[in-house]
Amino acid sequence: MLASLDRAKRVMQIPTEDTSMDETLSLLIAAASQAIENHCKRSFRKKLYTERMSGYPSLYLNLRNYPIHHIEEVRADQILGDYEEIGDGRLYREWGWPIGEHNISVTYLGGYVLPSEATKEEPRTLPESIELACLLYIQMIGRNPGAKSERVGDISVTYSDDSEALPAPVAALLTPYVGRWV
């Protein structure tokens, strides 16, 4: 999950010893985390990934789940070793990549250490803006789920019709992390 239960409770000003909302908050954090990963078209969790992609006339391949910590294997018809990881999940190969449909497979350790998985040996590396986006989103969902506007006198509520879009402040925090592939 992109935010810890403890931090969510602090942000929402719920005493840490109060466990009455823990299940609801955990569900909100999980739902917000999934919505954010769907929006960004990637996973943020640090783990081993294998991606299959098509080779096309380019010197670069873009991997989804950066930062890349270690590349286990790059394979086309054979194992390729003549490439360079140049940051932000991009692989460079001087002679280009073999052209074909889903002909390249890359296995790599990538992603961030999430706040909920951080240890003393491996502290969190998830950017604060992603965690803030998650916390902001759970606050918005918790406050008025799906409500676009409210009015108290003569009671009126309008519900949002953009079911797939994240709220603008949340989306703005995530802009640098949205996938650059189709």
Side-chain angles (χ1 to χ4, degrees):
M1 294 192 293
L2 300 178
S4 68
L5 179 61
D6 185 52
R7 190 135 191 210
K9 288 170 89 169
R10 287 195 316 265
V11 165
M12 297 180 92
Q13 300 178 347
I14 299 171
T16 16
E17 60 276 357
D18 180 356
T19 59
S20 63
M21 294 290 295
D22 285 5
E23 189 173 340
T24 301
L25 280 175
S26 293
L27 186 59
L28 286 171
I29 294 168
S33 296
Q34 186 62 56
I36 287 169
E37 287 187 340
N38 290 345
H39 174 80
C40 293
K41 301 179 192 100
R42 61 169 292 178
S43 177
F44 290 104
R45 183 175 183 222
K46 183 179 178 182
K47 68 176 194 173
L48 195 64
Y49 295 94
T50 298
E51 285 187 48
R52 288 195 67 83
M53 55 200 72
S54 299
Y56 54 94
S58 174
L59 302 179
Y60 303 95
L61 281 181
N62 293 318
L63 302 175
R64 289 180 185 268
N65 306 302
Y66 59 89
I68 306 304
H69 302 283
H70 173 73
I71 296 177
E72 296 278 322
E73 180 179 85
V74 178
R75 176 180 287 278
D77 290 334
Q78 60 193 22
I79 293 177
L80 303 175
D82 55 344
Y83 62 86
E84 180 182 351
E85 201 269 316
I86 58 173
D88 286 339
R90 295 190 89 193
L91 300 183
Y92 168 78
R93 190 166 185 243
E94 185 177 358
W95 297 281
W97 298 93
I99 297 171
E101 289 293 315
H102 302 287
N103 62 322
I104 301 170
S105 173
V106 182
T107 302
Y108 63 96
L109 179 64
Y112 299 101
V113 177
L114 303 181
S116 58
E117 297 175 352
T119 64
K120 195 171 196 165
E121 297 78 35
E122 196 168 29
R124 67 162 284 144
T125 57
L126 184 75
E128 294 283 341
S129 57
I130 297 173
E131 184 176 16
L132 177 59
C134 184
L135 293 167
L136 183 59
Y137 195 32
I138 66 170
Q139 281 184 313
M140 295 170 114
I141 294 170
R143 211 174 291 133
N144 53 356
K148 189 174 179 181
S149 66
E150 300 177 54
R151 191 174 75 211
V152 176
D154 292 316
I155 304 172
S156 173
V157 177
T158 306
Y159 289 96
S160 179
D161 57 353
D162 47 34
S163 59
E164 292 188 29
L166 292 177
V170 174
L173 287 166
L174 298 170
T175 297
Y177 308 100
V178 173
R180 55 188 180 267
W181 39 85
V182 180

